[in-house]
Amino acid sequence: MTATGCGLPSLTPPTEQARPTASARGSSPVTPSTSPVSTGLTIADAERGAASWLAEHNRTVKDRDWWDDSSAIDKLFWDGTRHEAVLDQWAVKNGDRRKEREPIRLTRQVFYVPREQALPGGQWFLLQATYAGQDRPHILAFWRPEGGAFKLAAKSPLHHGQRMPEPRRDAEGYVTAMPALAGRQVAQEYLVFWDYDRHDQEGRKGYRLAKDNHSRRAYRTVSKGAYMAYQSYSRPYGFRTADGGSFHVFSLLNDPQHISAVLTLGVSTRGKGKALHEIAADWYA
């Protein structure tokens, strides 16, 4: 199955959302911040925000045609998660009740809340949790604009055998946010990695998804998958780790205005090393 030309319905992002540009070289909607800004987001705020989103999600999906209501989609999803509505649309229209969306119950929740925010115009936090009935922890990113409510901005299961890196926390449990520019650089490297026009020798053999959704250099280990050249990426959310490295969550987008392919990634660096270690990925096309 190729990831382009899937014929998916348009899901235009809400007008107040910062949209990725469609530049072939991946301009990001995020303006680099020169210094983090304290916004007053507390761990308790994040816990309430996640609980409120979860309750809204579970109320919304009781209507099996919820995906046909653009306002319902806008209440729940940002950035690289709006394709969640398309998944439900397909399940309902194809009559596959096994794939219809069920209410979500999260267990073993761990919050990563930055005391200072490096992204302008809003607030974010990360949540590690396990979906009831699933065997792998997920990493979820939540974002809200100033004066708005938190919505799901990115979601991915961790690869089998991987764990979230230990964050650098202060005495009150807050993490240290990575500069926005650092997240952009990681996302840009992934964008270039998937651009086979710039990597003729390896790229034209196909950068594909391997077992458990691993994406990097997977063409060596799988015999089928999807060729892809992403156009842009969503906001990167990231924190410093206890060993001096970093962790980032972001989504690569094939077409920012029409949901046709999304690859959401959790990527870490270790200590002072520059190597990128992919510990989470989830692909939709």
Side-chain angles (χ1 to χ4, degrees), residues 163-258:
R163 295 183 179 181
M164 282 288 291
E166 186 64 30
R168 179 190 298 177
R169 294 186 187 269
D170 64 18
E172 295 181 284
Y174 291 89
V175 303
T176 302
M178 286 297 297
L181 181 58
R184 288 163 55 93
Q185 290 171 338
V186 173
Q188 182 71 24
E189 177 162 336
Y190 261 83
L191 199 71
V192 171
F193 177 84
W194 279 82
D195 186 353
Y196 52 73
D197 286 335
R198 297 178 67 177
H199 291 277
D200 288 345
Q201 183 177 357
E202 294 181 338
R204 292 195 181 279
K205 297 178 183 178
Y207 289 121
R208 308 173 179 180
L209 296 187
K211 184 179 179 181
D212 299 328
N213 289 334
H214 282 75
S215 68
R216 291 176 63 80
R217 297 181 176 84
Y219 68 92
R220 293 192 180 97
T221 59
V222 296
S223 60
K224 59 183 178 180
Y227 294 85
M228 180 55 59
Y230 286 99
Q231 295 179 359
S232 64
Y233 46 85
S234 68
R235 298 176 182 90
Y237 307 94
F239 58 78
R240 297 189 184 278
T241 57
D243 66 0
S246 63
F247 176 73
H248 307 270
V249 177
F250 57 93
S251 295
L252 299 183
L253 306 175
N254 176 256
D255 185 339
Q257 303 306 319
H258 306 278

Side-chain angles (χ1 to χ4, degrees), residues 11-278:
L11 286 179
T12 304
T15 55
E16 71 272 17
Q17 178 184 352
R19 296 178 179 175
T21 67
S23 167
R25 293 296 174 256
S27 299
S28 168
V30 182
T31 302
S33 175
T34 55
S35 59
V37 177
S38 178
T39 58
L41 178 67
T42 68
I43 295 174
D45 290 336
E47 292 173 344
R48 285 192 293 267
S52 178
W53 178 86
L54 196 64
E56 182 69 29
H57 172 277
N58 291 346
R59 283 193 299 268
T60 299
V61 302
K62 287 181 179 180
D63 178 0
R64 69 190 303 266
D65 293 331
W66 72 272
W67 45 264
D68 205 24
D69 181 355
S70 59
S71 64
I73 299 171
D74 291 345
K75 284 182 179 180
L76 296 175
F77 302 111
W78 293 108
D79 290 345
T81 60
R82 294 176 60 80
H83 63 283
E84 298 286 336
V86 180
L87 295 174
D88 259 31
Q89 180 186 32
W90 281 356
V92 172
K93 287 190 172 182
N94 292 336
D96 190 347
R97 302 193 64 87
R98 295 171 301 174
K99 294 184 178 180
E100 287 184 35
R101 184 173 300 267
E102 299 288 342
I104 296 172
R105 183 167 64 87
L106 299 177
T107 63
R108 293 180 284 181
Q109 299 185 34
V110 179
F111 286 83
Y112 306 87
V113 183
R115 184 182 295 278
E116 296 181 325
Q117 300 274 334
L119 297 178
Q123 299 170 320
W124 64 269
F125 66 88
L126 299 180
L127 168 62
Q128 177 186 292
T130 300
Y131 282 61
Q134 299 191 27
D135 62 344
R136 281 187 286 171
H138 284 61
I139 185 70
L140 300 89
F142 289 89
W143 165 268
R144 71 177 177 188
E146 294 178 359
F150 279 112
K151 304 177 188 180
L152 187 65
K155 180 193 73 174
S156 174
L158 271 62
H159 291 313
H160 286 292
Q162 295 290 340
R163 295 183 179 181
M164 282 288 291
E166 186 64 30
R168 179 190 298 177
R169 294 186 187 269
D170 64 18
E172 295 181 284
Y174 291 89
V175 303
T176 302
M178 286 297 297
L181 181 58
R184 288 163 55 93
Q185 290 171 338
V186 173
Q188 182 71 24
E189 177 162 336
Y190 261 83
L191 199 71
V192 171
F193 177 84
W194 279 82
D195 186 353
Y196 52 73
D197 286 335
R198 297 178 67 177
H199 291 277
D200 288 345
Q201 183 177 357
E202 294 181 338
R204 292 195 181 279
K205 297 178 183 178
Y207 289 121
R208 308 173 179 180
L209 296 187
K211 184 179 179 181
D212 299 328
N213 289 334
H214 282 75
S215 68
R216 291 176 63 80
R217 297 181 176 84
Y219 68 92
R220 293 192 180 97
T221 59
V222 296
S223 60
K224 59 183 178 180
Y227 294 85
M228 180 55 59
Y230 286 99
Q231 295 179 359
S232 64
Y233 46 85
S234 68
R235 298 176 182 90
Y237 307 94
F239 58 78
R240 297 189 184 278
T241 57
D243 66 0
S246 63
F247 176 73
H248 307 270
V249 177
F250 57 93
S251 295
L252 299 183
L253 306 175
N254 176 256
D255 185 339
Q257 303 306 319
H258 306 278
I259 305 298
S260 59
V262 179
L263 176 61
T264 298
L265 298 146
V267 180
S268 68
T269 63
R270 297 170 184 170
K272 296 182 179 180
K274 296 182 179 180
L276 300 181
H277 301 273
E278 181 181 297

